[in-house]
Amino acid sequence: MGRSIFSHFLILSNTPPRYVVSLPRGARLGKCLNRAGGIYEPRRLRIGESLRCLCSLSVSEPSTSQASSSSVKKRIVSGVQPTGSIHLGNYLGAIKNWIDLQNTCETLFFIVDLHAITLPYEGHKLSKATKDTAALYLACGVDPSKASVFVQSHVRAHVELMWLLSSATPIGWLNRMIQFKEKSQKEGNENVGVALLTYPVLMASDILLYQSDLVPVGEDQKQHLELTREIAERVNYLYGGRKWKKLGGRGGAIFKVPEALIPPTGARVMSLTDGLSKMSKSAPSDQSRINLLDSKDAIANKIKRCKTDSFTWLEFDNPERPECNNLLSVYQLITSKSKQEVLEECKDMNWGSFKPLLTDALIDHLHPIQERYAEITSDPSYLDGVLADGASKAASIADATVNNVYQAMGFLRR
């Protein structure tokens, strides 16, 4: 998750998330040794098996010995790749929902430029795309006084921790990743770099580096989060606890094992040309997506030409009408109306009357974002300052984690 990394805080309702307390960490893992003295590895999800859906936020226990406090905010990390323009799917599926989360949680939002090089790319465009993506974060309402906004490669600990985690990640775990299989087949094995296989370890590093409590994930990223949880548990077993304490550390778990934040509905905004495919930056046709910086004429043209069906009424949740469900859902999200309100408004409409309504709503919603983006990009020093400050705050957390891992793994102290 184009791919956004955890894309993707997709919450349709306007009600704030509720908190529930999860089971103690140790209670889920069971014993670590079998009778023969071998490692007992916690059960992993099989491919195709779903993670637990957390419609409300789950509170995980801290990795330190300090008692948890209701006043301590849960920490969330998420990011988007700087490949192509941010589109409506990225915005409605992730960034729009960051605005609420930054008010209730400790949030770190970053541009995952290291992930952007796992497939062929144009180097001269990467830097500009990175800054443009950061500017759109702020234009959409991310507040740098509440959230840390930074560039992934500006915090070196991401790559350091990835290498350390790679030593503890079995190759078989990576070989089963569905996205790697699909993308390597599409690109051809001779053209695929090693990074495409190992980038889930970098993703695990992105999450574990900040001792994250919660990770927003879309349907296509659930398997990667489960891998992150497996890696965390494996490293905690191999190097944590008494082993770490004997080396001078605090002992206990090195990493928090993060929980998934999966919204109950609206997890995917679909293509305008195929209601069964996710809206994506990598789709060949720009007609398949609404980009946040599209002009009024471009938006009108794309909605006018988008795929619909031959039915003469509009409805939600008919599996035979994926395009209808997608366009109504987009309208619901950008107008902040309830599902019932949309049905009441649109039940007697046909496509000829609904498309102009959707077009006007999209233009009205995106116009303030486009104006704010123009203001931000007109002052490069402001954006540079935001990114530098965000990287500094992130590094203070990340460096502490990496130093603990080096210590627990037995490296000579610096």
PDB file of all heavy atoms in Angstrom, residues 3-23:
ATOM      1  N   ARG A   3       1.386   1.433  -4.018  1.00  0.00           N
ATOM      2  CA  ARG A   3       1.382   0.718  -2.766  1.00  0.00           C
ATOM      3  C   ARG A   3       1.598   1.678  -1.625  1.00  0.00           C
ATOM      4  O   ARG A   3       2.524   2.433  -1.615  1.00  0.00           O
ATOM      5  CB  ARG A   3       2.497  -0.332  -2.753  1.00  0.00           C
ATOM      6  CG  ARG A   3       2.286  -1.407  -3.781  1.00  0.00           C
ATOM      7  CD  ARG A   3       3.537  -2.208  -3.932  1.00  0.00           C
ATOM      8  NE  ARG A   3       4.557  -1.408  -4.572  1.00  0.00           N
ATOM      9  CZ  ARG A   3       5.853  -1.593  -4.385  1.00  0.00           C
ATOM     10  NH1 ARG A   3       6.279  -2.488  -3.554  1.00  0.00           N
ATOM     11  NH2 ARG A   3       6.735  -0.862  -5.038  1.00  0.00           N
ATOM     12  N   SER A   4       0.713   1.638  -0.661  1.00  0.00           N
ATOM     13  CA  SER A   4       0.987   2.344   0.544  1.00  0.00           C
ATOM     14  C   SER A   4       1.407   1.326   1.563  1.00  0.00           C
ATOM     15  O   SER A   4       1.040   0.189   1.482  1.00  0.00           O
ATOM     16  CB  SER A   4      -0.227   3.117   1.011  1.00  0.00           C
ATOM     17  OG  SER A   4      -1.200   2.292   1.439  1.00  0.00           O
ATOM     18  N   ILE A   5       2.215   1.686   2.464  1.00  0.00           N
ATOM     19  CA  ILE A   5       2.895   0.695   3.292  1.00  0.00           C
ATOM     20  C   ILE A   5       1.932   0.006   4.220  1.00  0.00           C
ATOM     21  O   ILE A   5       1.906  -1.214   4.278  1.00  0.00           O
ATOM     22  CB  ILE A   5       4.071   1.305   4.036  1.00  0.00           C
ATOM     23  CG1 ILE A   5       4.729   0.267   4.880  1.00  0.00           C
ATOM     24  CG2 ILE A   5       3.746   2.474   4.795  1.00  0.00           C
ATOM     25  CD1 ILE A   5       5.965   0.691   5.526  1.00  0.00           C
ATOM     26  N   PHE A   6       1.133   0.763   4.988  1.00  0.00           N
ATOM     27  CA  PHE A   6       0.149   0.126   5.850  1.00  0.00           C
ATOM     28  C   PHE A   6      -1.129   0.819   5.539  1.00  0.00           C
ATOM     29  O   PHE A   6      -1.807   1.302   6.337  1.00  0.00           O
ATOM     30  CB  PHE A   6       0.466   0.335   7.316  1.00  0.00           C
ATOM     31  CG  PHE A   6       1.875   0.061   7.585  1.00  0.00           C
ATOM     32  CD1 PHE A   6       2.712   1.040   8.037  1.00  0.00           C
ATOM     33  CD2 PHE A   6       2.385  -1.171   7.327  1.00  0.00           C
ATOM     34  CE1 PHE A   6       4.009   0.778   8.244  1.00  0.00           C
ATOM     35  CE2 PHE A   6       3.684  -1.428   7.530  1.00  0.00           C
ATOM     36  CZ  PHE A   6       4.492  -0.450   7.984  1.00  0.00           C
ATOM     37  N   SER A   7      -1.491   1.138   4.599  1.00  0.00           N
ATOM     38  CA  SER A   7      -2.258   2.151   4.004  1.00  0.00           C
ATOM     39  C   SER A   7      -3.443   2.360   4.764  1.00  0.00           C
ATOM     40  O   SER A   7      -3.962   1.843   4.908  1.00  0.00           O
ATOM     41  CB  SER A   7      -2.609   1.735   2.741  1.00  0.00           C
ATOM     42  OG  SER A   7      -3.134   1.444   1.800  1.00  0.00           O
ATOM     43  N   HIS A   8      -3.397   2.877   5.970  1.00  0.00           N
ATOM     44  CA  HIS A   8      -4.579   2.839   5.321  1.00  0.00           C
ATOM     45  C   HIS A   8      -5.697   2.786   6.313  1.00  0.00           C
ATOM     46  O   HIS A   8      -6.489   1.977   6.257  1.00  0.00           O
ATOM     47  CB  HIS A   8      -4.722   1.778   4.339  1.00  0.00           C
ATOM     48  CG  HIS A   8      -3.653   1.296   3.453  1.00  0.00           C
ATOM     49  ND1 HIS A   8      -3.084   1.695   2.340  1.00  0.00           N
ATOM     50  CD2 HIS A   8      -2.990   0.305   3.475  1.00  0.00           C
ATOM     51  CE1 HIS A   8      -2.269   1.055   1.801  1.00  0.00           C
ATOM     52  NE2 HIS A   8      -2.151   0.217   2.460  1.00  0.00           N
ATOM     53  N   PHE A   9      -5.856   3.732   7.026  1.00  0.00           N
ATOM     54  CA  PHE A   9      -6.800   3.903   8.068  1.00  0.00           C
ATOM     55  C   PHE A   9      -8.162   4.128   7.461  1.00  0.00           C
ATOM     56  O   PHE A   9      -8.560   5.235   7.293  1.00  0.00           O
ATOM     57  CB  PHE A   9      -6.499   5.169   8.824  1.00  0.00           C
ATOM     58  CG  PHE A   9      -5.159   5.232   9.383  1.00  0.00           C
ATOM     59  CD1 PHE A   9      -4.067   5.349   8.575  1.00  0.00           C
ATOM     60  CD2 PHE A   9      -4.980   5.221  10.745  1.00  0.00           C
ATOM     61  CE1 PHE A   9      -2.834   5.460   9.117  1.00  0.00           C
ATOM     62  CE2 PHE A   9      -3.748   5.336  11.273  1.00  0.00           C
ATOM     63  CZ  PHE A   9      -2.681   5.460  10.457  1.00  0.00           C
ATOM     64  N   LEU A  10      -8.914   3.089   7.172  1.00  0.00           N
ATOM     65  CA  LEU A  10     -10.102   3.244   6.365  1.00  0.00           C
ATOM     66  C   LEU A  10     -11.339   3.170   7.226  1.00  0.00           C
ATOM     67  O   LEU A  10     -11.857   2.122   7.428  1.00  0.00           O
ATOM     68  CB  LEU A  10     -10.120   2.146   5.353  1.00  0.00           C
ATOM     69  CG  LEU A  10      -8.744   2.011   4.836  1.00  0.00           C
ATOM     70  CD1 LEU A  10      -8.537   0.723   4.114  1.00  0.00           C
ATOM     71  CD2 LEU A  10      -8.418   3.117   3.937  1.00  0.00           C
ATOM     72  N   ILE A  11     -11.770   4.257   7.779  1.00  0.00           N
ATOM     73  CA  ILE A  11     -12.876   4.247   8.711  1.00  0.00           C
ATOM     74  C   ILE A  11     -14.009   5.079   8.130  1.00  0.00           C
ATOM     75  O   ILE A  11     -13.836   6.250   7.870  1.00  0.00           O
ATOM     76  CB  ILE A  11     -12.445   4.815  10.082  1.00  0.00           C
ATOM     77  CG1 ILE A  11     -11.273   3.989  10.625  1.00  0.00           C
ATOM     78  CG2 ILE A  11     -13.598   4.841  11.058  1.00  0.00           C
ATOM     79  CD1 ILE A  11     -10.685   4.560  11.893  1.00  0.00           C
ATOM     80  N   LEU A  12     -15.157   4.450   7.926  1.00  0.00           N
ATOM     81  CA  LEU A  12     -16.264   5.168   7.312  1.00  0.00           C
ATOM     82  C   LEU A  12     -17.001   6.057   8.309  1.00  0.00           C
ATOM     83  O   LEU A  12     -17.443   7.139   7.977  1.00  0.00           O
ATOM     84  CB  LEU A  12     -17.254   4.171   6.710  1.00  0.00           C
ATOM     85  CG  LEU A  12     -16.842   3.609   5.351  1.00  0.00           C
ATOM     86  CD1 LEU A  12     -17.799   2.526   4.945  1.00  0.00           C
ATOM     87  CD2 LEU A  12     -16.818   4.695   4.307  1.00  0.00           C
ATOM     88  N   SER A  13     -17.177   5.605   9.533  1.00  0.00           N
ATOM     89  CA  SER A  13     -17.966   6.382  10.478  1.00  0.00           C
ATOM     90  C   SER A  13     -17.158   7.541  11.009  1.00  0.00           C
ATOM     91  O   SER A  13     -15.953   7.556  10.958  1.00  0.00           O
ATOM     92  CB  SER A  13     -18.422   5.489  11.636  1.00  0.00           C
ATOM     93  OG  SER A  13     -17.379   5.335  12.557  1.00  0.00           O
ATOM     94  N   ASN A  14     -17.858   8.532  11.557  1.00  0.00           N
ATOM     95  CA  ASN A  14     -17.199   9.699  12.119  1.00  0.00           C
ATOM     96  C   ASN A  14     -16.969   9.554  13.616  1.00  0.00           C
ATOM     97  O   ASN A  14     -16.475  10.469  14.261  1.00  0.00           O
ATOM     98  CB  ASN A  14     -18.052  10.954  11.882  1.00  0.00           C
ATOM     99  CG  ASN A  14     -18.143  11.264  10.410  1.00  0.00           C
ATOM    100  OD1 ASN A  14     -17.175  11.119   9.689  1.00  0.00           O
ATOM    101  ND2 ASN A  14     -19.313  11.702   9.957  1.00  0.00           N
ATOM    102  N   THR A  15     -17.362   8.428  14.190  1.00  0.00           N
ATOM    103  CA  THR A  15     -17.181   8.248  15.623  1.00  0.00           C
ATOM    104  C   THR A  15     -15.757   7.872  15.920  1.00  0.00           C
ATOM    105  O   THR A  15     -15.139   7.118  15.185  1.00  0.00           O
ATOM    106  CB  THR A  15     -18.110   7.123  16.138  1.00  0.00           C
ATOM    107  OG1 THR A  15     -17.837   5.941  15.389  1.00  0.00           O
ATOM    108  CG2 THR A  15     -19.562   7.515  15.977  1.00  0.00           C
ATOM    109  N   PRO A  16     -15.191   8.398  17.020  1.00  0.00           N
ATOM    110  CA  PRO A  16     -13.810   8.077  17.355  1.00  0.00           C
ATOM    111  C   PRO A  16     -13.671   6.637  17.775  1.00  0.00           C
ATOM    112  O   PRO A  16     -14.632   6.015  18.256  1.00  0.00           O
ATOM    113  CB  PRO A  16     -13.516   9.021  18.531  1.00  0.00           C
ATOM    114  CG  PRO A  16     -14.858   9.298  19.134  1.00  0.00           C
ATOM    115  CD  PRO A  16     -15.821   9.300  17.999  1.00  0.00           C
ATOM    116  N   PRO A  17     -12.489   6.034  17.606  1.00  0.00           N
ATOM    117  CA  PRO A  17     -12.286   4.647  17.975  1.00  0.00           C
ATOM    118  C   PRO A  17     -12.389   4.448  19.477  1.00  0.00           C
ATOM    119  O   PRO A  17     -12.038   5.318  20.260  1.00  0.00           O
ATOM    120  CB  PRO A  17     -10.860   4.361  17.475  1.00  0.00           C
ATOM    121  CG  PRO A  17     -10.218   5.693  17.386  1.00  0.00           C
ATOM    122  CD  PRO A  17     -11.294   6.656  17.039  1.00  0.00           C
ATOM    123  N   ARG A  18     -12.880   3.295  19.869  1.00  0.00           N
ATOM    124  CA  ARG A  18     -12.946   2.935  21.280  1.00  0.00           C
ATOM    125  C   ARG A  18     -11.759   2.064  21.635  1.00  0.00           C
ATOM    126  O   ARG A  18     -11.196   1.400  20.792  1.00  0.00           O
ATOM    127  CB  ARG A  18     -14.247   2.165  21.570  1.00  0.00           C
ATOM    128  CG  ARG A  18     -15.501   2.992  21.337  1.00  0.00           C
ATOM    129  CD  ARG A  18     -16.759   2.168  21.515  1.00  0.00           C
ATOM    130  NE  ARG A  18     -16.884   1.152  20.466  1.00  0.00           N
ATOM    131  CZ  ARG A  18     -16.736  -0.122  20.661  1.00  0.00           C
ATOM    132  NH1 ARG A  18     -16.416  -0.583  21.846  1.00  0.00           N
ATOM    133  NH2 ARG A  18     -16.862  -0.980  19.668  1.00  0.00           N
ATOM    134  N   TYR A  19     -11.408   2.038  22.897  1.00  0.00           N
ATOM    135  CA  TYR A  19     -10.257   1.262  23.327  1.00  0.00           C
ATOM    136  C   TYR A  19     -10.715   0.032  24.104  1.00  0.00           C
ATOM    137  O   TYR A  19     -11.608   0.089  24.930  1.00  0.00           O
ATOM    138  CB  TYR A  19      -9.338   2.109  24.236  1.00  0.00           C
ATOM    139  CG  TYR A  19      -8.616   3.188  23.496  1.00  0.00           C
ATOM    140  CD1 TYR A  19      -9.220   4.436  23.300  1.00  0.00           C
ATOM    141  CD2 TYR A  19      -7.356   2.979  22.968  1.00  0.00           C
ATOM    142  CE1 TYR A  19      -8.565   5.441  22.611  1.00  0.00           C
ATOM    143  CE2 TYR A  19      -6.702   3.985  22.285  1.00  0.00           C
ATOM    144  CZ  TYR A  19      -7.319   5.211  22.111  1.00  0.00           C
ATOM    145  OH  TYR A  19      -6.657   6.184  21.431  1.00  0.00           O
ATOM    146  N   VAL A  20     -10.087  -1.057  23.820  1.00  0.00           N
ATOM    147  CA  VAL A  20     -10.315  -2.277  24.576  1.00  0.00           C
ATOM    148  C   VAL A  20      -8.953  -2.813  24.980  1.00  0.00           C
ATOM    149  O   VAL A  20      -7.958  -2.544  24.350  1.00  0.00           O
ATOM    150  CB  VAL A  20     -11.064  -3.351  23.739  1.00  0.00           C
ATOM    151  CG1 VAL A  20     -12.446  -2.868  23.391  1.00  0.00           C
ATOM    152  CG2 VAL A  20     -10.290  -3.695  22.490  1.00  0.00           C
ATOM    153  N   VAL A  21      -8.941  -3.582  26.039  1.00  0.00           N
ATOM    154  CA  VAL A  21      -7.662  -4.104  26.528  1.00  0.00           C
ATOM    155  C   VAL A  21      -7.447  -5.499  25.989  1.00  0.00           C
ATOM    156  O   VAL A  21      -8.309  -6.355  26.073  1.00  0.00           O
ATOM    157  CB  VAL A  21      -7.645  -4.116  28.067  1.00  0.00           C
ATOM    158  CG1 VAL A  21      -6.349  -4.695  28.567  1.00  0.00           C
ATOM    159  CG2 VAL A  21      -7.832  -2.706  28.603  1.00  0.00           C
ATOM    160  N   SER A  22      -6.262  -5.741  25.399  1.00  0.00           N
ATOM    161  CA  SER A  22      -5.931  -7.054  24.857  1.00  0.00           C
ATOM    162  C   SER A  22      -5.383  -7.941  25.956  1.00  0.00           C
ATOM    163  O   SER A  22      -5.065  -7.480  27.056  1.00  0.00           O
ATOM    164  CB  SER A  22      -4.905  -6.912  23.731  1.00  0.00           C
ATOM    165  OG  SER A  22      -3.739  -6.328  24.231  1.00  0.00           O
ATOM    166  N   LEU A  23      -5.262  -9.222  25.674  1.00  0.00           N
ATOM    167  CA  LEU A  23      -4.698 -10.158  26.643  1.00  0.00           C
ATOM    168  C   LEU A  23      -3.252  -9.837  26.919  1.00  0.00           C
ATOM    169  O   LEU A  23      -2.560  -9.285  26.076  1.00  0.00           O
ATOM    170  CB  LEU A  23      -4.800 -11.587  26.077  1.00  0.00           C
ATOM    171  CG  LEU A  23      -6.204 -12.153  25.967  1.00  0.00           C
ATOM    172  CD1 LEU A  23      -6.154 -13.503  25.289  1.00  0.00           C
ATOM    173  CD2 LEU A  23      -6.859 -12.270  27.329  1.00  0.00           C
TER     174      LEU A  23
END
